[in-house]
């Protein structure tokens, strides 16, 4: 069984993402876990603020792990998080990954993609939280992209909670395909810029 918890926090043009995966090793041995990081803007991997923790071997998160880039360094990156010790069959694991992606979210129509790419057929449970700090979306819709290439609208999400500073949406799914993606499309109004003018007056002499 595999469980996923995913948080995407958007503030202005910046995106902060946290992934957490927990489950049991199905192979005879595993040395790393792979993730997909997808954005509109290409932040070079060497400049990417990204760290991970092997919570199965390091529950307190004392040993920070720098992920390894796999393949091209483009807008869609495959990265691997090495385990502190290799996993054996049926051994439980828990991996936490955090990334900061500056300047990749624009006002107006925008989207965020949450991808699953695992060898097993299904993921037992998945939660995705979309958090907006400051400017909030006027609407948010969830689409599903299957491995076959088909795309369908799943639902429109309403805010789970909101206040003057932040707004949060929650998408929960059970028994979803291990090779799939969910696309969160939303619209945020552009910031209103108020032009100011300064008039200079020459004092009378």
């Amino acid at each position: 069984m595999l469980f996923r918890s995913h948080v995407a926090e958007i503030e202005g043009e910046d995106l902060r993402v946290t992934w957490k995966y927990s489950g049991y090793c199905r192979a005879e041995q595993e040395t790393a876990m792979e993730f997909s990081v997808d954005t509109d803007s290409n932040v070079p991997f060497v400049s990417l603020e990204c760290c991970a923790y092997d919570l199965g071997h390091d529950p307190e998160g004392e040993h920070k792990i720098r992920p390894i880039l796999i393949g091209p360094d483009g807008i869609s990156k495959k990265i691997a998080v090495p385990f502190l010790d290799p996993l054996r069959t049926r051994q439980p694991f828990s991996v936490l990954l955090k990334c900061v992606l500056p300047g990749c979210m624009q006002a107006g129509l925008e989207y965020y993609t949450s991808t699953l790419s695992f060898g097993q057929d299904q993921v037992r449970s998945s939660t995705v939280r979309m958090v907006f700090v400051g400017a909030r979306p006027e609407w948010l819709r969830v689409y599903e992209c299957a491995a076959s290439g088909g795309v369908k609208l799943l639902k429109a999400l309403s805010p789970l909670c909101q206040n003057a500073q932040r707004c949060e949406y929650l998408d929960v799914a059970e028994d979803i395909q291990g090779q799939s993606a969910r696309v969160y499309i939303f619209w945020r109004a552009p910031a209103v810029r108020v032009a100011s003018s300064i008039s200079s007056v020459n004092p009378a002499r």
Side-chain angles (χ1 to χ4, degrees):
M1 291 189 295
L2 182 66
F3 300 87
R4 175 182 72 165
S5 175
H6 189 166
V7 180
E9 183 177 291
I10 299 167
E11 183 172 6
E13 296 183 350
D14 299 335
L15 171 65
R16 291 180 289 273
V17 189
T18 302
W19 295 264
K20 185 178 181 181
Y21 286 90
S22 302
Y24 294 87
C25 179
R26 300 180 64 185
E28 291 185 7
Q29 178 175 291
E30 286 288 357
T31 59
M33 187 167 187
E34 296 183 5
F35 293 81
S36 178
V37 180
D38 305 299
T39 64
D40 281 343
S41 59
N42 183 19
V43 180
F45 181 72
V46 293
S47 303
L48 192 64
E49 186 179 334
C50 192
C51 66
Y53 300 90
D54 179 359
L55 299 178
H57 295 106
D58 176 28
E60 301 301 322
E62 297 177 349
H63 303 282
K64 186 182 294 186
I65 301 170
R66 173 65 177 174
I68 300 169
L69 179 66
I70 304 173
D73 188 3
I75 60 174
S76 181
K77 295 176 174 56
K78 282 284 188 181
I79 61 176
V81 175
F83 294 111
L84 294 177
D85 288 305
L87 295 179
R88 303 295 180 182
T89 306
R90 300 300 301 167
Q91 183 176 350
F93 68 86
S94 181
V95 176
L96 182 71
L97 174 66
K98 296 182 177 182
C99 285
V100 178
L101 303 162
C104 65
M105 288 287 162
Q106 306 301 319
L109 188 65
E110 187 58 279
Y111 70 94
Y112 175 73
T113 303
S114 178
T115 305
L116 285 172
S117 183
F118 292 96
Q120 61 195 73
D121 294 334
Q122 289 186 322
V123 173
R124 179 69 182 87
S125 176
S126 170
T127 63
V128 177
R129 292 180 182 271
M130 297 289 297
V131 180
F132 295 85
V133 179
R136 65 189 62 186
E138 296 200 7
W139 50 263
L140 190 154
R141 300 186 184 111
V142 186
Y143 291 80
E144 184 177 61
C145 303
S148 61
V151 179
K152 66 177 180 179
L153 172 63
L154 293 180
K155 53 191 168 182
L157 288 181
S158 298
L160 176 68
C161 58
Q162 57 183 328
N163 55 39
Q165 289 76 39
R166 57 193 285 133
C167 180
E168 182 176 328
Y169 296 79
L170 177 63
D171 180 28
V172 179
E174 304 290 336
D175 298 323
I176 60 176
Q177 295 181 16
Q179 297 278 337
S180 62
R182 290 201 170 195
V183 182
Y184 299 84
I185 298 179
F186 53 90
W187 192 89
R188 293 183 299 163
V192 177
R193 296 183 178 180
V194 179
S196 60
S197 61
I198 301 176
S199 299
S200 60
V201 178
N202 292 325
R205 295 184 180 179

